[in-house]
Amino acid sequence: MRRSIRYALSAVVGLGAMALTVVVDDGNVGLVAMIPLIYGTTTAFALDNVALIRTMYGEGSSRTVGMVGGGIGAGSLTGLFQQSFAAGVAGYGLFVFGMALVTAEIGSRMGE
């Protein structure tokens, strides 16, 4: 995917997540302003490594690690959503951002 298209899509996803958060919950301005940065960067990493993500999630051995990570993420997100919707959205974005960083690191080590 061309870099300009990838970054344009990343900006749209980030701003869309922020707009949804503002509509649902008038949260802390600083927290809401972080949402496009988190989601935009995550989307850029994910779009840059689509083939690797498809390969990683097709294997059965990674499912156990995914279930553990998903359980921890779900428990954390429940607590953050109880504080505010904006905090929950930011927390989920950071959880997915961590997965995207690991995928990008594996892709760079594999030479993709």
Side-chain angles (χ1 to χ4, degrees):
M1 176 177 288
R2 293 182 54 181
R3 185 177 293 182
S4 59
I5 294 171
R6 184 172 65 231
Y7 290 139
L9 286 173
S10 300
V12 168
V13 168
L15 292 173
M18 182 184 74
L20 176 65
T21 304
V22 169
V23 167
V24 173
D25 178 33
D26 294 329
N28 183 353
V29 175
L31 185 61
V32 171
M34 286 176 28
I35 290 173
L37 300 173
I38 295 168
Y39 280 84
T41 307
T42 302
T43 304
F45 277 127
L47 290 175
D48 194 32
N49 295 291
V50 171
L52 182 61
I53 291 170
R54 287 183 181 153
T55 302
M56 288 173 58
Y57 286 106
E59 299 177 10
S61 62
S62 64
R63 289 185 182 173
T64 303
V65 175
M67 287 188 299
V68 170
I72 293 169
S76 301
L77 289 178
T78 301
L80 288 172
F81 273 120
Q82 288 176 353
Q83 298 302 314
S84 77
F85 185 77
V89 170
Y92 180 76
L94 289 171
F95 177 67
V96 176
F97 179 66
M99 291 189 297
L101 283 178
V102 170
T103 303
E105 178 64 23
I106 291 171
S108 69
R109 289 185 184 188
M110 293 176 65
E112 289 193 12

